[in-house]
Amino acid sequence: SAVISQKPSRDICQRGTSLTIQCQVDSQVTMMFWYRQQPGQSLTLIATANQGSEATYESGFVIDKFPISRPNLTFSTLTVSNMSPEDSSIYLCSARQGEETQYFGPGTRLLVL
Amino acid sequence: GNSVTQMEGPVTLSEEAFLTINCTYTATGYPSLFWYVQYPGEGLQLLLKATKADDKGSNKGFEATYRKETTSFHLEKGSVQVSDSAVYFCALIINFGNEKLTFGTGTRLTIIP
Protein backbone atom coordinates (compact mmCIF):
# COMPACT_ATOMS: atom_id res chain seq x y z
CA SER A 1 0.00 0.00 0.00
CA ALA A 2 1.02 3.60 -0.53
CA VAL A 3 1.21 6.14 2.27
CA ILE A 4 0.33 9.65 1.17
CA SER A 5 1.00 12.85 3.09
CA GLN A 6 -0.27 16.33 2.36
CA LYS A 7 0.80 19.79 3.46
CA PRO A 8 -0.74 21.91 4.80
CA SER A 9 -3.38 19.91 6.61
CA ARG A 10 -5.59 22.99 6.84
CA ASP A 11 -5.45 26.68 6.09
CA ILE A 12 -7.53 29.81 6.29
CA CYS A 13 -6.94 32.18 3.40
CA GLN A 14 -8.14 35.55 2.20
CA ARG A 15 -10.04 35.85 -1.04
CA GLY A 16 -7.90 36.72 -4.03
CA THR A 17 -4.84 34.88 -2.73
CA SER A 18 -3.43 31.52 -3.84
CA LEU A 19 -2.52 28.39 -1.91
CA THR A 20 -0.24 25.56 -3.00
CA ILE A 21 -0.91 22.11 -1.57
CA GLN A 22 1.86 19.53 -1.58
CA CYS A 23 1.38 15.78 -1.89
CA GLN A 24 4.11 13.24 -1.16
CA VAL A 25 3.83 9.48 -1.74
CA ASP A 26 6.17 7.06 0.00
CA SER A 27 6.73 5.02 -3.17
CA GLN A 28 6.79 5.59 -6.90
CA VAL A 29 3.34 5.56 -8.45
CA THR A 30 2.18 5.74 -12.03
CA MET A 31 -0.90 7.84 -11.43
CA MET A 32 -1.67 10.74 -9.10
CA PHE A 33 -4.97 12.55 -8.84
CA TRP A 34 -6.43 15.61 -7.15
CA TYR A 35 -9.99 15.64 -5.83
CA ARG A 36 -12.22 18.26 -4.24
CA GLN A 37 -14.76 17.41 -1.57
CA GLN A 38 -17.16 20.22 -0.80
CA PRO A 39 -18.86 20.21 2.61
CA GLY A 40 -21.13 17.22 3.01
CA GLN A 41 -20.54 16.08 -0.57
CA SER A 42 -18.85 13.25 -2.39
CA LEU A 43 -15.52 13.53 -4.17
CA THR A 44 -15.11 15.33 -7.46
CA LEU A 45 -12.05 14.66 -9.58
CA ILE A 46 -10.22 17.86 -10.50
CA ALA A 47 -7.41 16.42 -12.60
CA THR A 48 -4.95 13.65 -13.20
CA ALA A 49 -1.39 14.78 -12.53
CA ASN A 50 0.91 13.50 -15.27
CA GLN A 51 4.60 13.16 -14.63
CA GLY A 52 6.58 15.31 -16.98
CA SER A 53 3.61 16.73 -18.85
CA GLU A 54 0.55 18.90 -18.34
CA ALA A 55 -2.20 17.63 -16.09
CA THR A 56 -5.43 16.30 -17.56
CA TYR A 57 -8.36 18.32 -16.24
CA GLU A 58 -11.96 17.21 -15.82
CA SER A 59 -14.86 19.16 -17.15
CA GLY A 60 -15.40 22.32 -15.14
CA PHE A 61 -11.79 22.65 -13.98
CA VAL A 62 -9.13 24.69 -15.76
CA ILE A 63 -5.39 25.03 -15.49
CA ASP A 64 -5.46 28.75 -14.77
CA LYS A 65 -7.51 28.16 -11.63
CA PHE A 66 -5.91 24.88 -10.53
CA PRO A 67 -2.36 24.63 -11.83
CA ILE A 68 -0.78 21.27 -11.07
CA SER A 69 2.81 20.14 -11.09
CA ARG A 70 4.24 16.65 -10.98
CA PRO A 71 8.01 16.78 -11.25
CA ASN A 72 8.59 13.09 -10.40
CA LEU A 73 6.82 9.83 -9.56
CA THR A 74 6.32 10.56 -5.86
CA PHE A 75 5.37 14.24 -5.62
CA SER A 76 2.71 16.62 -6.88
CA THR A 77 1.37 20.06 -6.07
CA LEU A 78 -2.03 21.64 -6.60
CA THR A 79 -2.43 25.41 -6.49
CA VAL A 80 -5.81 26.98 -5.86
CA SER A 81 -5.52 30.39 -7.51
CA ASN A 82 -7.34 33.66 -6.93
CA MET A 83 -9.45 32.05 -4.24
CA SER A 84 -13.04 32.87 -3.42
CA PRO A 85 -15.23 31.55 -0.59
CA GLU A 86 -16.66 29.00 -3.04
CA ASP A 87 -13.25 27.31 -3.07
CA SER A 88 -13.64 26.35 0.58
CA SER A 89 -13.38 22.57 0.46
CA ILE A 90 -11.27 19.60 1.34
CA TYR A 91 -8.65 18.90 -1.32
CA LEU A 92 -7.49 15.31 -1.51
CA CYS A 93 -4.46 13.85 -3.22
CA SER A 94 -4.69 10.28 -4.43
CA ALA A 95 -2.29 7.80 -6.00
CA ARG A 96 -2.36 4.48 -7.79
CA GLN A 97 0.37 2.18 -9.02
CA GLY A 98 -0.67 0.31 -12.13
CA GLU A 99 -3.63 -1.94 -11.37
CA GLU A 100 -3.25 -1.61 -7.64
CA THR A 101 -5.78 -0.05 -5.34
CA GLN A 102 -6.09 3.72 -5.27
CA TYR A 103 -5.06 5.37 -2.00
CA PHE A 104 -5.85 8.79 -0.59
CA GLY A 105 -4.06 11.37 1.45
CA PRO A 106 -5.53 12.87 4.62
CA GLY A 107 -6.76 15.95 2.82
CA THR A 108 -6.18 19.69 3.08
CA ARG A 109 -9.04 21.63 4.65
CA LEU A 110 -9.27 25.05 3.08
CA LEU A 111 -11.41 27.91 4.30
CA VAL A 112 -11.52 31.07 2.22
CA LEU A 113 -12.79 34.22 3.88
CA GLY B 1 -21.65 5.77 -18.46
CA ASN B 2 -20.68 4.36 -15.10
CA SER B 3 -22.48 5.27 -11.91
CA VAL B 4 -22.80 4.25 -8.28
CA THR B 5 -25.97 4.66 -6.26
CA GLN B 6 -25.77 4.53 -2.51
CA MET B 7 -28.33 4.35 0.22
CA GLU B 8 -29.41 7.79 1.32
CA GLY B 9 -28.19 8.87 4.69
CA PRO B 10 -27.75 9.76 7.37
CA VAL B 11 -28.08 6.42 9.10
CA THR B 12 -28.25 6.26 12.88
CA LEU B 13 -27.98 2.97 14.73
CA SER B 14 -27.51 1.82 18.27
CA GLU B 15 -24.30 0.09 19.27
CA GLU B 16 -24.27 -3.65 18.45
CA ALA B 17 -26.97 -3.25 15.80
CA PHE B 18 -26.70 -4.91 12.39
CA LEU B 19 -25.62 -2.60 9.59
CA THR B 20 -26.44 -2.68 5.90
CA ILE B 21 -25.53 0.14 3.54
CA ASN B 22 -26.83 -0.52 0.05
CA CYS B 23 -24.77 0.12 -3.06
CA THR B 24 -25.75 -0.62 -6.65
CA TYR B 25 -23.90 0.22 -9.80
CA THR B 26 -24.16 0.54 -13.54
CA ALA B 27 -21.07 -0.08 -15.58
CA THR B 28 -20.06 -0.47 -19.19
CA GLY B 29 -17.78 -3.41 -18.44
CA TYR B 30 -16.74 -5.55 -15.50
CA PRO B 31 -15.83 -3.29 -12.62
CA SER B 32 -13.76 -3.69 -9.52
CA LEU B 33 -15.72 -2.50 -6.49
CA PHE B 34 -14.59 -0.71 -3.37
CA TRP B 35 -15.80 0.62 -0.06
CA TYR B 36 -13.91 3.58 1.34
CA VAL B 37 -14.44 5.06 4.81
CA GLN B 38 -13.87 8.64 5.92
CA TYR B 39 -13.64 9.15 9.66
CA PRO B 40 -14.35 12.62 11.02
CA GLY B 41 -11.64 15.07 10.05
CA GLU B 42 -9.68 12.55 8.00
CA GLY B 43 -9.13 11.52 4.40
CA LEU B 44 -10.46 8.38 2.73
CA GLN B 45 -9.25 4.95 3.74
CA LEU B 46 -9.83 1.79 1.76
CA LEU B 47 -12.10 -0.46 3.79
CA LEU B 48 -12.47 -3.43 1.45
CA LYS B 49 -12.61 -4.37 -2.20
CA ALA B 50 -13.71 -7.09 -4.61
CA THR B 51 -12.41 -7.47 -8.14
CA LYS B 52 -14.70 -10.08 -9.67
CA ALA B 53 -18.17 -11.51 -9.36
CA ASP B 54 -18.94 -13.49 -6.17
CA ASP B 55 -15.81 -12.20 -4.46
CA LYS B 56 -16.32 -11.17 -0.86
CA GLY B 57 -14.27 -8.34 0.53
CA SER B 58 -13.86 -8.13 4.31
CA ASN B 59 -12.06 -6.00 6.85
CA LYS B 60 -12.61 -4.89 10.46
CA GLY B 61 -15.79 -6.95 10.68
CA PHE B 62 -17.26 -5.38 7.55
CA GLU B 63 -18.16 -7.50 4.52
CA ALA B 64 -19.43 -6.89 1.02
CA THR B 65 -20.10 -9.42 -1.75
CA TYR B 66 -19.81 -8.56 -5.44
CA ARG B 67 -23.19 -9.58 -6.91
CA LYS B 68 -23.10 -9.35 -10.67
CA GLU B 69 -26.69 -10.57 -11.10
CA THR B 70 -28.06 -7.71 -9.01
CA THR B 71 -25.21 -5.26 -9.77
CA SER B 72 -24.79 -4.69 -6.05
CA PHE B 73 -22.05 -4.45 -3.44
CA HIS B 74 -23.87 -3.91 -0.15
CA LEU B 75 -21.80 -3.25 2.95
CA GLU B 76 -22.67 -5.20 6.10
CA LYS B 77 -21.48 -5.53 9.66
CA GLY B 78 -22.99 -7.76 12.28
CA SER B 79 -22.43 -5.57 15.33
CA VAL B 80 -21.47 -1.93 14.94
CA GLN B 81 -19.47 0.11 17.41
CA VAL B 82 -19.38 3.81 18.17
CA SER B 83 -15.97 3.93 16.47
CA ASP B 84 -17.63 2.92 13.17
CA SER B 85 -19.24 6.35 12.96
CA ALA B 86 -17.99 7.76 9.66
CA VAL B 87 -18.97 8.44 6.06
CA TYR B 88 -18.87 5.39 3.79
CA PHE B 89 -18.31 5.66 0.04
CA CYS B 90 -18.96 2.94 -2.51
CA ALA B 91 -16.85 3.21 -5.66
CA LEU B 92 -16.05 1.36 -8.86
CA ILE B 93 -13.43 1.32 -11.56
CA ILE B 94 -13.77 -0.49 -14.88
CA ASN B 95 -10.21 -1.05 -15.94
CA PHE B 96 -7.07 0.14 -14.33
CA GLY B 97 -4.69 2.24 -16.32
CA ASN B 98 -6.31 5.49 -17.30
CA GLU B 99 -9.75 4.74 -15.93
CA LYS B 100 -10.96 6.77 -12.99
CA LEU B 101 -12.78 5.87 -9.81
CA THR B 102 -16.49 6.58 -9.83
CA PHE B 103 -17.85 7.37 -6.35
CA GLY B 104 -21.26 7.18 -4.81
CA THR B 105 -22.58 10.13 -2.85
CA GLY B 106 -21.52 8.72 0.51
CA THR B 107 -23.58 7.55 3.48
CA ARG B 108 -23.06 9.13 6.87
CA LEU B 109 -23.31 6.57 9.68
CA THR B 110 -23.71 7.53 13.32
CA ILE B 111 -23.63 4.91 16.06
CA ILE B 112 -25.06 5.88 19.42
CA PRO B 113 -24.06 4.12 22.64
Side-chain angles (χ1 to χ4, degrees):
Chain A
S1 66
V3 177
I4 303 173
S5 58
Q6 286 184 233
K7 289 195 295 187
S9 59
R10 60 179 67 243
D11 208 343
I12 301 173
C13 300
Q14 298 298 317
R15 69 172 67 209
T17 63
S18 298
L19 176 72
T20 295
I21 303 168
Q22 297 180 5
C23 176
Q24 180 73 53
V25 188
D26 70 342
S27 58
Q28 293 187 342
V29 291
T30 49
M31 305 192 77
M32 293 183 74
F33 308 89
W34 286 97
Y35 289 81
R36 183 173 73 184
Q37 185 181 24
Q38 294 180 303
Q41 303 295 315
S42 187
L43 281 74
T44 301
L45 181 63
I46 297 171
T48 302
N50 301 309
Q51 193 261 332
S53 64
E54 197 170 279
T56 304
Y57 289 84
E58 298 299 304
S59 175
F61 297 96
V62 295
I63 188 171
D64 289 347
K65 176 67 176 177
F66 296 102
I68 288 171
S69 77
R70 189 176 173 194
N72 57 50
L73 293 176
T74 63
F75 186 79
S76 178
T77 66
L78 168 75
T79 299
V80 186
S81 302
N82 188 25
M83 288 184 284
S84 67
E86 292 71 32
D87 294 320
S88 298
S89 285
I90 301 172
Y91 292 86
L92 292 143
C93 176
S94 182
R96 192 168 81 215
Q97 172 58 26
E99 295 190 359
E100 298 296 317
T101 300
Q102 190 163 327
Y103 293 92
F104 288 81
T108 295
R109 283 151 181 79
L110 172 62
L111 177 63
V112 183
L113 301 177
Chain B
N2 306 318
S3 67
V4 175
T5 302
Q6 269 185 252
M7 177 176 176
E8 288 283 332
V11 174
T12 302
L13 295 172
S14 297
E15 204 166 20
E16 300 183 1
F18 184 87
L19 168 71
T20 300
I21 300 178
N22 289 338
C23 172
T24 58
Y25 65 89
T26 59
T28 55
Y30 296 102
S32 293
L33 301 172
F34 305 86
W35 277 100
Y36 285 88
V37 58
Q38 186 175 33
Y39 296 103
E42 299 185 13
L44 269 69
Q45 300 177 24
L46 177 68
L47 181 59
L48 53 83
K49 67 178 182 181
T51 58
K52 62 183 187 296
D54 299 324
D55 270 2
K56 178 186 285 188
S58 61
N59 186 26
K60 299 183 181 180
F62 290 90
E63 293 184 339
T65 302
Y66 187 141
R67 301 287 188 199
K68 182 181 171 186
E69 63 275 12
T70 54
T71 63
S72 65
F73 193 54
H74 304 321
L75 183 68
E76 297 182 335
K77 186 173 185 181
S79 176
V80 291
Q81 306 300 314
V82 172
S83 57
D84 294 326
S85 298
V87 180
Y88 293 81
F89 292 94
C90 186
L92 69 82
I93 193 165
I94 298 299
N95 292 301
F96 290 103
N98 290 327
E99 288 293 335
K100 302 152 197 172
L101 274 173
T102 299
F103 282 95
T105 54
T107 302
R108 180 173 299 277
L109 173 66
T110 301
I111 306 302
I112 53 177

